[in-house]
């Protein structure tokens, strides 16, 4: 399972690089502005993904089974 997850993360990283690589060189060889724009935009996307996906999992409360707690006491 962990190997499959690692492969998917690698696939997402490579596909993102393939999409953004041509955009970095749009303004010429000596300008870092497009690279900065891409870095900021992908950082904002990561932040949105964190607050949209990871924070929801923290709100889920664990289920306590009553059968187990009544047998122990």
């Amino acid at each position: 399972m962990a190997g499959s997850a690692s492969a998917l993360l690698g696939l997402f990283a490579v596909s993102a690089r393939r999409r953004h690589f041509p955009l970095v060189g749009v303004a010429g060889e000596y300008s870092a502005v497009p690279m900065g724009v891409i870095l900021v935009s992908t950082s904002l996307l990561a932040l949105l993904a964190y607050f949209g996906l990871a924070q929801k999992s923290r709100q889920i409360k664990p289920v306590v089974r009553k059968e187990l707690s009544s047998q122990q006491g």
Side-chain angles (χ1 to χ4, degrees), residues 4-70:
S4 298
S6 176
L8 281 175
L9 286 173
L11 176 71
F12 292 146
V14 169
S15 64
R17 274 186 241 133
R18 289 181 62 194
R19 283 191 308 262
H20 293 106
F21 183 70
L23 298 175
V24 173
V26 165
E29 189 175 338
Y30 300 105
S31 176
V33 173
M35 183 183 66
V37 169
I38 289 173
L39 284 172
V40 169
S41 64
T42 54
S43 297
L44 289 175
L45 284 174
L47 194 64
L48 287 174
Y50 173 73
F51 285 116
L53 300 172
Q55 288 292 329
K56 288 181 183 178
S57 66
R58 289 185 179 193
Q59 294 174 357
I60 298 173
K61 296 179 181 174
V63 177
V64 178
R65 298 177 73 182
K66 292 182 181 181
E67 300 112 22
L68 292 176
S69 60
S70 64

